[in-house]
Amino acid sequence: MKKILSAISLALALMCASSCSFLEREPDFMTPDYYYENEEEMTNALYGVYNRLIDTNGRMYSKGLFGFFVLSDEFSYTNSFLVDNIRHGTFDAADLDIGRLWEILYEGVSRANFLIASFDGKDIEAQTANVKAILGEALFMRGYYYFLLTTCFGEVPLKLTPTTSPDEPYLEQSSLETIYGQIVKDMTEAEKLVLDIDVLGSNERISRTGVQAVLARVYLKMAGAPLNDPDNPDEDAMDYYKQALFYANEVISSGKHSLNTTDGKGYRQIFLNQVQNINESKEVIWEVGMYGNKIGAEDLAGSVGVENGILCRDESLGYSGGPITAQKKLFDAFGEGDLRRDWAIADFQVSYDSDTDISTLVDLSDESKEVNIWKRNPGKWRRVDWDRDAGRFVTYEPGTLAQLYTGTNFPLMRYADVLLMKAEAINESLEKPNAEAYDAVNQVRRRAYGFDVYTPNPVCDLPENLSREDFRQAVRDERFRELCFEGQRKWDLIRWGVYVETMDQLSKDVMATAPQAVYQYCARAGQNTTWRNVLFPIPNTELTVNKKMKQNPGW
């Protein structure tokens, strides 16, 4: 699973040694003659483009984009953090994390631009399949970084060429229509060039079906806010839903992907595979590759299983301070018999006595004690587990364990997401669900209850003859359950136009129902969410140097 990331680490070292501090610290500009001439140089440069998905300080998918940047009604940070903290939704345009996120995303764009420019004047059709794929992946990654930029910041400068001089003029912000047009252009060009997943052999690089799945996500975003009114979709929005359906169907019809149904416990196995460094690309179409745990020379580790892990201060079992707890709303969203719940939301914690070096079980499985539900942590990528049959702790993470870092990969696109996107796109474009829409959702639900995914089952299948509105809510609820803690909920709520009202209602519900006053911290992010929070502020560091930039409303 980690062979690509090992190569990335080596490539970064070689590039930094042979050129400049290009991948250690993004330069302000690069000389015009710095381009990549052969496949080896291009491959190394491509690894550098992917590298920006991992920020060693935690602002990308190593932490922030599944944690403090995507606050929603799924989880909250505990009261161990100060009230005046981004983890509770308190920040402004001077916030370091916001500024660094902006910088990292543009570093990714810059690296992609240099690599793409290396193909100028070349006969693309005359290149090998591997070289074509490098161009395709660079185009896709530029589109993906811009997708993250506009999702987070709205209108941003659209730079499509390398910066070769410090005297280049600053750019104005481009319109959302222009930015999304370029994202689609980059990704559709990439689709023709990248390799199939069975040729790549790893989902840590983007494959053809990976591009198609992300295009489905992009088109669903375009169909909703802020480009369109989710409650009154116009002709353009309806076309975007149809495009989302087209690309979702391309993934499904390829036959290269399916739901993980291992031993009737396929849902948990998805995440165990990632913890155990097992690469499985049937369900996980694309994932961010982490490598190492910052013990030794490797520095491509993340905090998956730590930032979003089970409280356990015993490093020999797998440390996490348990900084995140699941919202009771999420816990209550799972139906009786849904096997996902107690894997996604762990029903235990670990109490560790450092004086005696002894760890004991904190059993949170008794739901009659409501406080147990409020204490629960995310458990998808658990470093430690409790074997109830054997009465002992189990660790899944291989190798030497580090306190704060892991080599656990993080999923960016799963087949279950594709099925749910298909169902949503059908319902919205046809203004009602059809048999295919029902089947797509029901496959996900049957897996959740441990049944055969292709056999109708009255225990878990959605009721027939739902209206467009009821089916829409059913899909939204299924995404809430299936994709919890995977960094998608906030963006879903925003594109549906309900983020602010959802967070407001969450805060009211928490304040009214928390079993003890101490758990009212679960309301903080909701209390701090207002209309301006559908976008982050443009960082002050950018506004200071680029006088053509305008601050986002409310900031």
Side-chain angles (χ1 to χ4, degrees):
M1 181 182 193
K2 305 300 182 182
K3 62 181 181 180
I4 290 178
L5 270 297
S6 298
I8 289 177
S9 181
L10 174 61
L12 297 184
L14 290 174
M15 292 179 69
C16 291
S18 62
S19 57
C20 60
S21 59
F22 180 36
L23 298 182
E24 290 180 325
R25 179 180 177 184
E26 198 72 10
D28 293 327
F29 68 96
M30 300 191 73
T31 57
D33 59 347
Y34 190 92
Y35 293 101
Y36 309 104
E37 297 294 340
N38 55 53
E39 184 175 333
E40 181 181 5
E41 289 181 356
M42 290 177 179
T43 301
N44 288 343
L46 179 64
Y47 293 152
V49 177
Y50 278 104
N51 173 263
R52 291 296 72 195
L53 293 172
I54 311 166
D55 172 48
T56 55
N57 292 310
R59 276 77 181 223
M60 291 289 288
Y61 290 108
S62 54
K63 186 186 295 185
L65 285 178
F66 63 75
F68 50 81
F69 286 139
V70 289
L71 300 177
S72 74
D73 55 345
E74 295 176 324
F75 66 87
S76 62
Y77 279 87
T78 68
N79 58 0
S80 61
F81 296 95
L82 296 176
V83 175
D84 186 17
N85 190 292
I86 192 172
R87 287 164 177 79
H88 294 306
T90 303
F91 56 89
D92 57 24
D95 187 273
L96 177 64
D97 290 308
I98 297 294
R100 188 61 184 137
L101 176 65
W102 173 279
E103 293 170 7
I104 293 165
L105 291 172
Y106 270 111
E107 286 171 9
V109 168
S110 175
R111 294 179 185 188
N113 281 340
F114 270 97
L115 181 50
I116 293 166
S118 296
F119 287 87
D120 289 349
K122 288 185 169 63
D123 182 358
I124 304 302
E125 290 303 315
Q127 306 301 315
T128 66
N130 286 340
V131 171
K132 289 179 183 177
I134 290 170
L135 173 59
E137 290 176 65
L139 284 165
F140 171 83
M141 289 303 300
R142 180 173 69 181
Y144 190 74
Y145 286 128
Y146 272 122
F147 182 53
L148 292 178
L149 275 163
T150 192
T151 297
C152 292
F153 296 99
E155 295 182 343
V156 297
L158 187 63
K159 183 161 178 46
L160 303 175
T161 58
T163 300
T164 56
S165 167
D167 299 323
E168 287 189 15
Y170 288 105
L171 298 177
E172 296 180 348
Q173 289 150 296
S174 293
S175 68
L176 293 177
E177 292 79 5
T178 300
I179 296 168
Y180 277 103
Q182 185 63 45
I183 292 168
V184 169
K185 181 175 184 294
D186 279 350
M187 290 187 179
T188 51
E189 288 182 14
E191 182 196 6
K192 306 168 188 174
L193 298 170
V194 299
L195 299 172
D196 287 333
I197 186 62
D198 45 7
V199 177
L200 278 174
S202 170
N203 57 14
E204 293 176 3
R205 287 173 63 178
I206 194 69
S207 64
R208 182 168 287 107
T209 44
V211 174
Q212 292 163 346
V214 174
L215 273 166
R217 179 179 289 169
V218 169
Y219 274 114
L220 280 185
K221 172 65 174 176
M222 293 171 68
L227 277 180
N228 287 283
D229 181 353
D231 295 325
N232 297 287
D234 60 14
E235 186 176 339
D236 286 342
M238 298 302 280
D239 183 62
Y240 295 148
Y241 282 124
K242 293 174 184 177
Q243 289 293 326
L245 175 59
F246 171 80
Y247 283 108
N249 276 332
E250 287 290 285
V251 177
I252 294 167
S253 64
S254 74
K256 297 180 184 299
H257 302 283
S258 60
L259 295 175
N260 189 323
T261 57
T262 304
D263 298 327
K265 299 179 180 178
Y267 186 76
R268 61 179 285 172
Q269 193 61 46
I270 298 165
F271 311 104
L272 274 179
N273 284 341
Q274 292 168 332
V275 173
Q276 296 174 323
N277 292 350
I278 298 171
N279 189 257
E280 187 277 302
S281 59
K282 296 293 285 184
E283 163 119 12
V284 184
I285 298 172
W286 184 34
E287 63 187 28
V288 179
M290 313 289 178
Y291 186 74
N293 52 19
K294 298 205 175 188
I295 296 177
E298 307 294 354
D299 194 17
L300 291 169
S303 294
V304 180
V306 179
E307 183 79 358
N308 52 0
I310 299 167
L311 177 60
C312 171
R313 292 191 169 88
D314 185 341
E315 293 184 34
S316 69
L317 294 177
Y319 179 93
S320 173
I324 290 174
T325 56
Q327 290 284 3
K328 186 175 183 294
K329 175 183 177 180
L330 176 61
F331 180 90
D332 290 341
F334 291 92
E336 183 178 353
D338 192 328
L339 302 176
R340 295 173 297 188
R341 191 195 68 183
D342 289 343
W343 186 261
I345 307 173
D347 60 358
F348 74 96
Q349 293 175 336
V350 180
S351 176
Y352 177 62
D353 187 328
S354 59
D355 292 331
T356 62
D357 194 29
I358 294 176
S359 289
T360 55
L361 174 72
V362 179
D363 194 343
L364 303 176
S365 62
D366 185 354
E367 298 169 33
S368 66
K369 299 177 180 178
E370 190 175 9
V371 69
N372 285 347
I373 298 173
W374 292 76
K375 290 180 178 179
R376 289 188 175 202
N377 304 117
K380 276 188 169 179
W381 299 273
R382 57 187 67 188
R383 307 180 75 185
V384 59
D385 203 358
W386 177 253
D387 186 330
R388 294 188 178 275
D389 294 330
R392 62 184 179 89
F393 291 113
V394 177
T395 58
Y396 297 120
E397 193 177 328
T400 303
L401 304 185
Q403 183 182 38
L404 298 178
Y405 299 97
T406 72
T408 299
N409 283 10
F410 187 79
L412 295 184
M413 180 62 69
R414 292 200 285 116
Y415 186 69
D417 194 347
V418 174
L419 290 172
L420 294 174
M421 287 192 291
K422 173 179 178 173
E424 180 178 353
I426 289 174
N427 187 55
E428 298 303 334
S429 62
L430 298 182
E431 301 187 41
K432 63 180 180 180
N434 62 13
E436 286 189 47
Y438 272 100
D439 182 63
V441 179
N442 286 335
Q443 283 188 48
V444 175
R445 290 184 56 77
R446 291 167 195 154
R447 195 260 301 269
Y449 285 80
F451 299 123
D452 180 80
V453 299
Y454 301 114
T455 303
N457 194 303
V459 173
C460 57
D461 286 3
L462 292 178
E464 298 179 358
N465 301 316
L466 292 176
S467 66
R468 180 191 191 186
E469 291 71 22
D470 289 342
F471 190 86
R472 174 189 294 154
Q473 191 59 52
V475 172
R476 291 181 179 184
D477 292 344
E478 205 58 51
R479 292 185 65 83
F480 187 37
R481 291 182 286 262
E482 174 71 22
L483 303 174
C484 62
F485 310 127
E486 295 181 42
Q488 293 303 315
R489 178 65 173 175
K490 176 182 178 180
W491 310 132
D492 278 348
L493 293 173
I494 288 174
R495 70 181 176 87
W496 293 329
V498 296
Y499 179 62
V500 177
E501 66 185 70
T502 298
M503 295 300 285
D504 178 62
Q505 188 61 51
L506 173 72
S507 67
K508 293 175 180 176
D509 291 344
V510 168
M511 296 303 290
T513 62
Q516 299 172 15
V518 66
Y519 293 104
Q520 290 178 348
Y521 69 79
C522 297
R524 286 178 184 164
Q527 291 168 336
N528 291 328
T529 299
T530 66
W531 61 271
R532 71 177 187 173
N533 288 95
V534 295
L535 293 174
F536 291 141
I538 303 297
N540 281 346
T541 51
E542 184 67 19
L543 294 172
T544 299
V545 298
N546 185 355
K547 302 303 182 183
K548 295 181 179 180
M549 295 287 293
K550 296 180 181 179
Q551 184 56 278
N552 283 328
W555 294 102

